[in-house]
Amino acid sequence: MKVSLPGVILGTLCCLPGGIIRTAAQPANQLTPVPIQSVTIQDAFWSPKRTVWQEITIPDCFTKFENDRGGAFNNFDRVRDGKSDGHAGPPWYDGLIYEMIRGSADFLAAKPDPVLETRIDGYIARITAAQARDTNGYLNTWTQLQHPDQRWGLNGGNDGYQHEMYNVGALCEAAVHYYQATGKSGLLKVAVRLANCTCDQVGPAPRLELVPNHAIAEEAFGDLYLFFREHPELKRDMPVAIDESRYLRLAQYWVEARGHPRKDQPSYGAYNQDHEPVLEQKTIEGHAVRAALLCAGVTALAGINGRDDYREAATCLWENMSQKKMYVTGGIGATAAGEAFGKDYFLPNDGYLETCGAVAAGFFDRNLNLLTGDARFVDALERELYNGALAGVSLAGNSYSYVNPLQAPHGNSRWSWNGCPCCPPMFLKLMGAMPGYIYAQDKSGIYVNLFVASKAQMQIAGHKVVLSQATDYPWQGEVKITVEAAKAGEFDLHIRIPGWCEGASSPEDLYQPDNRPLEGAARLKVNGKAVVNPAIVRGYATLHRRWKSGDVVQLTLDMPVQRVRANARVEAAKGRVALMRGPIVYCFEGADNGGAVQNLVIPPETRFTPKAQRNLLGGVTILEAAAIGVFKTGANYLVSMPFRVTATPYYANANRGTCPMQVWMAEQQDGASPQSQE
Ligand SMILES: [Zn+2]
């Protein structure tokens, strides 16, 4: 970790609570991402999906927002026109629109699309015109239209419902991402006016002592701080004076004021992570999306302020989440009541698992990887990308899921639109950002985090290096990485060895694959020569050499079908098994298994055969086996008989009409529910 030297002032000084003054000029993150703009994806798994999301999903969601309950964009027009009623949708609609813009911006950064960009420019013009109505730059269309005298929840308002700080956070993210994608600063000007207005009014006394009712602004304000630190030249073009340290200070206040009494704002309790000081919390509690986004923010801020208490709190909460409160798909938020985490190991198969929760956990994972340089956080991110989050949008790209349970005896169905359509924008944010998650770097070299066929350019040890990755991941475990460099150069190539492939296991692990070896399942070659016992540091195999153009690294990951069992304390998975192959979690759907799935038994000796099916569910590898089906005959006799079963990737569930689905399968007959035979 880069530590600033005592007494050497390297940059902006910020005064932190407790009287500690530290420099924030040097990032504390171990890794720096290779940004979307430097990465091109050409991947058999991701590219067709990304095309669907850019060409179908983004326009579909924008159109649905335009038509929703009188039109979410009309809210901005009504504020512009000085109206005082008629807000369409809930107060967080401004924020969802900003999230759509952020997600779309990242897709634009990867693949320019003039039609989409023009469409978004039109929206930004309407947002800008709405803000012009207020001399201070305040903008929250619900409050302005419905309760103009109750800004920030004052005068009998309800800041918990008004979502002002949530909306400003989402706006700042959108503005930064849209600038990075297009070089256009229009939305940035709106964002800084509202961010400055927020800093003027919210914060420690004598300002309003308010924390957001829903996390997002913590990381967003940290990012806005970083953005202006990296782009000081842009400050001149902004309509208000920029002192970026104010954004960082407010973000830290929002973390540190939780769990403490505040002047007028009552405690939100555990629901909004306000039950005790965040940096002292040991278990992740309350609303799962809020909690994971807050933790993502704490982690991002630790990467800026370098504080041990931030890093330790984030790591501790992540351990609790991933080792005691996470589903095998990466889903979080077991209970519908409060959309919340349950107690440790409470993971019912009909749990809630909001798509936004899996996405938020993915952001948390990713920030921890940057902070610590540890690959286990990418293992967790990968679980979200291929399972929990990916399940949130249909293969056709125009229907969605809010909840993602691990069993649906009567079938899951996706909606075309929802009264609270928060999940599609969050999904687009994660998948839009994904190209920037594949590679990272530090002074010593390059990190290959995700296995995605792609090309990336970066500067390392003073010269340009291009890495090309070819792979059929996640269906095959072969990855070929080719180095192109104008000049040979000495650096490390750190390649993630996925946790699903090999590694030590402990009886405490939440999920335990039954045939994962300690080592030997991941093998590396450089220019055709096997690398014997490569050093594995924090989950990365490190190859150090003088690299030259044409050098080829081959990684082979064994990819057997793995039977996964849950920790014995997970009641809902007792006597049950889930299947994984590589990073993919499988489920059983009625469509492939004679209409029902609860009657299937997968005894321990069952051997599954993977089979590539190019024309099924957008191209998947299915798993087939001879197992057992349990049936009830007309005379109420139970019959168990050999039954051919097929498992398909969980992410593709609920794409063939409504049919029963299940992830955790009975291993013995008494765990199955017999299917009546007519
Ligand atoms: Zn959601």
Side-chain angles (χ1 to χ4, degrees), residues 337-457:
E339 304 185 311
F341 285 106
K343 289 189 174 11
D344 289 355
Y345 302 108
F346 178 74
L347 298 163
N349 291 320
D350 59 354
Y352 194 70
L353 294 85
E354 182 180 346
T355 301
C356 288
V359 169
F363 291 142
F364 184 16
D365 300 332
R366 194 266 179 153
N367 289 351
L368 273 167
N369 172 251
L370 295 180
L371 182 66
T372 63
D374 194 322
R376 71 193 168 123
F377 301 113
V378 185
D379 289 348
L381 169 65
E382 186 183 60
R383 191 183 289 271
E384 305 297 358
L385 288 171
Y386 287 95
N387 304 288
L390 187 55
V393 173
S394 68
L395 297 174
N398 59 359
S399 63
Y400 311 93
S401 65
Y402 196 106
V403 298
N404 298 279
L406 269 53
Q407 71 176 36
H410 308 294
N412 260 338
S413 51
R414 295 174 180 273
W415 37 267
S416 165
W417 203 234
N418 189 289
C420 179
C422 51
C423 297
M426 279 282 279
F427 173 94
L428 290 168
K429 284 193 342 182
L430 181 69
M431 296 306 175
M434 189 276 267
Y437 296 177
I438 301 172
Y439 304 95
Q441 60 183 112
D442 66 7
K443 266 189 191 156
S444 76
I446 301 167
Y447 292 74
V448 179
N449 271 331
L450 297 173
F451 305 116
V452 177
S454 57
K455 209 168 210 194
Q457 289 188 28

Side-chain angles (χ1 to χ4, degrees), residues 1-4 12-17 20-30 218 221-223 225-226 229 245 247-256 279 296-314 371:
M1 182 189 299
K2 294 171 193 163
V3 181
S4 43
T12 313
L13 283 173
C14 52
C15 190
L16 299 168
I20 308 162
I21 295 179
R22 292 174 194 232
T23 171
Q26 294 291 301
N29 274 343
Q30 295 284 334
E218 297 80 0
F221 271 52
D223 284 348
Y225 160 80
L226 287 179
R229 205 184 61 187
S245 68
Y247 308 141
L248 179 61
R249 279 202 300 273
L250 185 54
Q252 293 178 145
Y253 172 78
W254 281 331
V255 170
E256 293 171 35
L279 302 180
V298 171
T299 312
L301 291 169
I304 299 170
N305 65 23
R307 280 174 52 178
D308 293 341
D309 50 354
Y310 274 62
R311 190 187 67 249
E312 284 159 13
L371 182 66

Side-chain angles (χ1 to χ4, degrees), residues 49-126:
K49 291 177 175 57
R50 293 179 56 78
T51 300
V52 167
W53 299 331
Q54 186 153 354
E55 293 180 0
I56 309 283
T57 310
I58 291 174
D60 181 61
C61 290
F62 273 134
T63 299
K64 286 170 179 169
F65 273 113
E66 282 182 22
N67 296 323
D68 191 343
R69 286 168 273 188
F73 291 95
N74 292 340
N75 295 331
F76 294 101
D77 302 343
R78 293 182 72 76
V79 168
R80 174 199 64 201
D81 296 341
K83 300 278 198 272
S84 59
D85 62 356
H87 184 275
W92 51 94
Y93 256 33
D94 293 1
L96 299 190
I97 285 167
Y98 304 145
E99 290 195 273
M100 281 297 304
I101 294 175
R102 170 186 153 172
S104 303
D106 284 355
F107 277 94
L108 287 178
K111 188 176 164 198
D113 179 342
V115 174
L116 177 60
E117 190 174 326
T118 302
R119 185 173 185 169
I120 295 172
D121 286 341
Y123 296 144
I124 292 172
R126 293 163 79 178

Side-chain angles (χ1 to χ4, degrees), residues 482-485 487-489 491 527 545-552:
T482 308
V483 178
E484 292 170 37
K487 246 174 86 183
F491 59 87
N527 297 333
R545 59 186 275 130
R546 191 168 174 80
W547 298 97
K548 59 180 192 321
S549 249
D551 283 345
V552 174

